[in-house]
Amino acid sequence: MKKIKKHIAIIIFFISLFIMISLLTFVYVSKDHSTFYLKDHKGDRSVLNDITVQGELRDAYHTVHFTIENNKVTKNTKIYSYPISDPTNRSWFRWMETTLDGVDYEILGEGEFDIYRNRRKTSDVPQGWSHVKTDIHPSSAVNQVELGLGLAQVGESIYFTVPTTSAYVGNNHIYEIEFVDPSQRISRTDGFTEQRVIATYSLEQNGDSTSKTIDVLGLQGVGDHLALIKREGNDLVIREFHTDGEEVGGTILDNFFLDVETRLPYTAYLNEADNIITLSFSHKRDEFKVVNIEFAHGEGFEIIDVVDVTFEGELDENHRLVEMFYKNNKLYVANTLKDMTDERNFIYSIGRPIQFFLHVYEGNELLYQGEIVTDMNDDLIRFQTAPFSAGGVGYDYHEHRNFVHISFK
Amino acid sequence: MKGFYRLVNIESIKMLKVVLLLCIASMATQLLLLNRELNNFTSHSMIERFENTYVASGAIVIFLLSILLFCVYFLLTIYSHYWGSKSIYTYLTLPIKREAVYFSKLTAFLLCIMPLFATQLMTIFIGYELVVWKIANVTEGPWMNNGLFLSFIRSESLQILFPLTLNGIVSTWSIIIALATGLYYGILCERSRQYWGFLLIITAIVIILYVISDRMGSPLYGYSNWYITSVSLFILSSFFIWHGMKIVKRGAIA
């Protein structure tokens, strides 16, 4: 007893240290104990053999990086040193923003446009500003267009054309954009460099009621070429430009917009390795018409497939996520859906569980449906159990896990 | 070294009884508060995340109170050398280096604060099991898989007390060391009438409050670099030790 008393300080210290280290190690190690597996709902998962899916499930405090390769799911959990401000990676101003090669761009203006590179400092690329003067003007009331769709990248170069509705007339251009340091900008025109016009195309027929109207939908870089995507009357028209501005061909999908349910704008996805652009147009509620266009050197663009995508469930509009990828005649779709099979009575609709699915289509046939099962719905516990008398529950998106950065290879 | 070890032991034994009492009282009160919070829980109640239930019960305040009481007790143990027996004179004439006298008190403080943190961690673990047990008993409703881990990374107070990242650990320990050295230095300054030292103590308090409010803040507004604030606290702590030791060596505290 005397001996213990002689060393009591150090004994107490080591016991405390042992308790703290073992309990905190237990907590730290349990970061890998989250649920994360692929559950087959329909078909054979071997159809995923051709691709690799990567992504993150994250909140502001931690992220689970996952990879699905050869049908197997692997995950790696990381706790952020500093909680991140925007875990949802949501674009609040989707119509004027785009991301090319991991760099964010913002486009602002009407008639004349300011293009900002990395304005919110989301990547290490230097910030940039560019000003574009145009030769187009509206002839009637103008509807909102998605300006972000007008920006494209080929190699290191950025190109821009102004997406327009059929209300615009004049000559539209494809510009090669040169960025300058935005700190040099004092007024709108200071530091302004005239952007190089590489190609010009006319919108004059919009003023002629006997001709097909033209909507410029966007510009996409594929391989070392640019695809100008337009709607002419009811046709979907793809024009092919070389980066020196030479128009080298194109392709048309006749009467694609004849069905009035097929709506603009579209979302574009790129399979860079196979030079395939996938254009997804909304069609009715929670359905898509997906046009897949392949670019082959020497042969130009060819529409290889049109797929009707329908889901059994409702898209989750709070955190809308749809990613697509076309490879080997199959369309791979990753998306979140509300779980409508859950029969519980949800007083707060946000409490309804979300499911993350992988869908594989060949033609219009759904070959495979698999779900990545996670604990993300546990975060909705308050919304699922709050009584009506609670009078509302606060939602903090920092404390809810969501899927982001989904990519296919 | 032997003298220093013996002194640390003597100082620690003096404080240990009170520390262990604080540990037991803190754990018991916290669990009682948590239980009281859960008493109102029915099958129709909203199921809260553990960290929210824990904070709402007021348990975290009890822990902070126990730390505060420990600091006050530490102060009293030092001032007791000046009252009654005036044992400070004995201390300063002991045949050991005065650095050892200085460090023995500081080390004893840090050694004795450890059981408080270890008990707090055990309280959180027991509290979590209590909440899980209660919810499972009252309702068949959902519960969060891996909820304890999520609490540790999502709760601001748990992140500060028991961080799981390197920058968080460095920051937390810089605060604890600055508190310990600053508190001790404050007593030495007061005893030696070197009141200007309080300016630096106030600086340390301002930095600590800034770090805590920064770490408690929403991720929406971003964070300052915790390594920079930690280094500034370590620099201040080093000064407190260096100057505090100088005061003790000079015997200016007698």
Side-chain angles (χ1 to χ4, degrees):
Chain A
M1 193 64 194
K2 233 181 178 180
K3 220 173 184 182
I4 292 175
K5 214 174 174 186
K6 253 174 109 179
H7 303 286
I8 191 77
I10 209 81
I11 291 170
I12 293 281
F13 171 73
F14 276 113
I15 291 173
S16 305
L17 196 67
F18 173 76
I19 292 171
M20 281 174 71
I21 289 176
S22 39
L23 293 185
L24 285 175
T25 306
F26 174 84
V27 174
Y28 184 79
V29 169
S30 60
K31 77 185 169 68
D32 295 317
H33 295 170
S34 60
T35 310
F36 216 101
Y37 64 92
L38 182 64
K39 180 181 170 189
D40 300 327
H41 283 252
K42 185 187 174 185
D44 187 346
R45 65 168 70 178
S46 62
V47 289
L48 299 175
N49 276 346
D50 289 352
I51 57 153
T52 303
V53 191
Q54 287 183 316
E56 284 180 65
L57 177 69
R58 70 178 186 186
D59 61 12
Y61 306 96
H62 77 309
T63 178
V64 183
H65 282 267
F66 72 91
T67 304
I68 302 174
E69 200 167 18
N70 299 323
N71 300 329
K72 284 202 177 79
V73 185
T74 51
K75 62 166 179 152
N76 178 28
T77 307
K78 187 186 146 198
I79 304 167
Y80 289 120
S81 299
Y82 297 95
I84 57 170
S85 62
D86 185 12
T88 59
N89 206 32
R90 183 195 289 205
S91 173
W92 298 99
F93 305 102
R94 204 171 78 94
W95 68 91
M96 54 175 235
E97 291 180 344
T98 193
T99 304
L100 300 171
D101 204 15
V103 181
D104 289 338
Y105 295 88
E106 276 181 44
I107 303 150
L108 301 152
E110 209 179 296
E112 292 184 24
F113 297 92
D114 291 301
I115 306 175
Y116 294 91
R117 179 176 65 196
N118 197 21
R119 196 182 195 185
R120 286 183 294 154
K121 293 186 180 171
T122 49
S123 63
D124 297 330
V125 174
Q127 293 190 305
W129 165 71
S130 178
H131 187 73
V132 176
K133 287 182 173 172
T134 66
D135 297 318
I136 53 168
H137 53 272
S139 63
S140 59
V142 180
N143 294 322
Q144 185 75 53
V145 287
E146 296 231 357
L147 290 172
L149 291 170
L151 212 62
Q153 182 167 10
V154 173
E156 296 293 302
S157 303
I158 301 293
Y159 300 89
F160 178 66
T161 199
V162 186
T164 58
T165 64
S166 56
Y168 277 87
V169 291
N171 282 326
N172 204 349
H173 308 294
I174 299 176
Y175 307 86
E176 183 174 358
I177 301 297
E178 194 183 315
F179 288 99
V180 294
D181 183 348
S183 62
Q184 290 174 10
R185 180 192 157 180
I186 299 162
S187 73
R188 202 172 201 199
T189 47
D190 281 346
F192 168 67
T193 318
E194 196 81 47
Q195 303 303 320
R196 191 167 81 90
V197 171
I198 64 158
T200 298
Y201 54 95
S202 173
L203 303 176
E204 284 304 336
Q205 68 192 68
N206 280 341
D208 177 2
S209 58
T210 57
S211 303
K212 284 181 177 176
T213 55
I214 301 174
D215 294 73
V216 178
L217 308 186
L219 191 68
Q220 295 293 325
V222 191
D224 54 358
H225 282 62
L226 290 162
L228 177 69
I229 298 155
K230 296 190 285 183
R231 171 184 176 160
E232 290 190 12
N234 284 324
D235 305 336
L236 176 66
V237 177
I238 318 291
R239 304 305 307 167
E240 177 188 352
F241 289 87
H242 194 266
T243 48
D244 63 8
E246 187 191 355
E247 187 172 349
V248 283
T251 185
I252 295 175
L253 189 58
D254 290 328
N255 294 324
F256 179 70
F257 293 102
L258 203 58
D259 183 347
V260 290
E261 298 275 13
T262 305
R263 292 188 307 273
L264 292 173
Y266 66 93
T267 309
Y269 308 96
L270 189 63
N271 173 347
E272 246 176 294
D274 298 333
N275 285 336
I276 296 172
I277 329 171
T278 296
L279 306 179
S280 166
F281 296 84
S282 292
H283 182 78
K284 295 182 184 164
R285 187 183 159 85
D286 297 339
E287 291 183 16
F288 299 94
K289 263 202 185 300
V290 182
V291 182
N292 299 289
I293 306 153
E294 187 173 33
F295 169 74
H297 283 276
E299 291 170 32
F301 289 106
E302 186 195 352
I303 292 168
I304 48 172
D305 206 355
V306 180
V307 182
D308 290 327
V309 169
T310 52
F311 302 122
E312 284 174 13
E314 255 180 59
L315 282 169
D316 166 32
E317 289 305 331
N318 292 310
H319 299 287
R320 188 185 171 89
L321 171 76
V322 182
E323 283 294 330
M324 296 188 185
F325 185 73
Y326 194 87
K327 189 177 182 178
N328 296 344
N329 302 321
K330 292 185 192 77
L331 180 70
Y332 298 86
V333 184
N335 65 293
T336 46
L337 291 176
K338 286 183 185 177
D339 182 3
M340 303 311 280
T341 58
D342 195 321
E343 288 175 351
R344 278 179 290 170
N345 178 26
F346 294 101
I347 294 168
Y348 300 95
S349 62
I350 201 169
R352 185 167 285 283
I354 305 299
Q355 291 172 294
F356 179 85
F357 283 113
L358 289 174
H359 292 99
V360 184
Y361 295 85
E362 190 165 21
N364 287 335
E365 188 194 350
L366 177 64
L367 289 184
Y368 174 76
Q369 185 191 40
E371 179 192 355
I372 297 182
V373 182
T374 69
D375 299 324
M376 69 183 283
N377 291 316
D378 289 359
D379 296 339
L380 299 169
I381 194 165
R382 304 163 78 207
F383 299 95
Q384 292 175 345
T385 58
F388 189 69
S389 57
V393 185
Y395 183 92
D396 182 352
Y397 62 89
H398 294 111
E399 296 191 341
H400 288 78
R401 283 165 282 186
N402 281 293
F403 280 96
V404 292
H405 296 147
I406 305 300
S407 67
F408 293 90
K409 258 196 291 188
Chain B
M1 198 64 195
K2 244 186 173 176
F4 166 72
Y5 185 82
R6 206 173 298 152
L7 264 184
V8 169
N9 220 41
I10 293 166
E11 292 292 341
S12 301
I13 288 169
K14 256 198 268 174
M15 289 193 279
L16 263 178
K17 270 184 199 159
V18 172
V19 168
L20 292 178
L21 203 70
L22 276 175
C23 286
I24 295 164
S26 165
M27 183 189 263
T29 320
Q30 287 187 55
L31 292 176
L32 280 172
L33 283 174
L34 201 55
N35 191 52
R36 200 188 66 167
E37 183 75 16
L38 292 167
N39 271 344
N40 302 325
F41 188 78
T42 68
S43 57
H44 299 295
S45 302
M46 175 168 79
I47 302 177
E48 264 290 3
R49 299 172 179 203
F50 169 69
E51 63 269 28
N52 295 343
T53 311
Y54 183 71
V55 170
S57 72
I60 204 84
V61 179
I62 300 297
F63 174 65
L64 296 178
L65 201 65
S66 67
I67 294 285
L68 187 72
L69 285 173
F70 175 66
C71 290
V72 171
Y73 180 70
F74 177 67
L75 265 161
L76 291 176
T77 57
I78 295 177
Y79 277 106
S80 68
H81 291 310
Y82 295 89
W83 303 329
S85 68
K86 307 259 185 213
S87 59
I88 187 70
Y89 301 108
T90 322
Y91 261 93
L92 292 176
T93 49
L94 283 174
I96 47 170
K97 282 188 174 178
R98 284 188 177 170
E99 286 96 323
V101 175
Y102 174 85
F103 274 112
S104 65
K105 286 208 179 292
L106 198 58
T107 313
F109 178 87
L110 288 169
L111 287 186
C112 288
I113 210 166
M114 289 289 277
L116 279 168
F117 275 86
T119 310
Q120 183 56 24
L121 204 47
M122 288 194 292
T123 309
I124 293 166
F125 268 67
I126 297 168
Y128 181 77
E129 291 307 323
L130 184 71
V131 171
V132 173
W133 174 77
K134 186 85 179 181
I135 287 173
N137 258 329
V138 176
T139 163
E140 287 174 8
W143 182 239
M144 301 179 77
N145 180 37
N146 223 7
L148 189 62
F149 164 73
L150 293 170
S151 302
F152 270 86
I153 59 167
R154 284 175 177 169
S155 155
E156 289 89 1
S157 14
L158 292 186
Q159 272 178 58
I160 292 176
L161 291 178
F162 303 107
L164 296 175
T165 57
L166 183 65
N167 57 347
I169 293 168
V170 171
S171 177
T172 296
W173 278 98
S174 73
I175 293 173
I176 294 171
I177 289 170
L179 271 177
T181 54
L183 184 68
Y184 192 25
Y185 180 63
I187 300 165
L188 297 178
C189 282
E190 189 273 325
R191 287 287 90 186
S192 61
R193 294 172 202 280
Q194 301 205 19
Y195 297 112
W196 60 267
F198 283 102
L199 283 176
L200 290 171
I201 295 171
I202 291 166
T203 310
I205 292 170
V206 170
I207 295 173
I208 289 170
L209 290 176
Y210 170 76
V211 176
I212 291 174
S213 82
D214 184 50
R215 289 178 68 180
M216 294 285 280
S218 162
L220 187 62
Y221 306 110
Y223 299 91
S224 61
N225 189 321
W226 298 341
Y227 286 115
I228 292 175
T229 44
S230 301
V231 166
S232 56
L233 284 176
F234 280 132
I235 290 171
L236 278 171
S237 301
S238 307
F239 178 82
F240 294 156
I241 293 172
W242 172 77
H243 193 235
M245 217 154 61
K246 218 168 141 190
I247 294 171
V248 174
K249 267 168 99 174
R250 275 211 317 261
I253 53 166

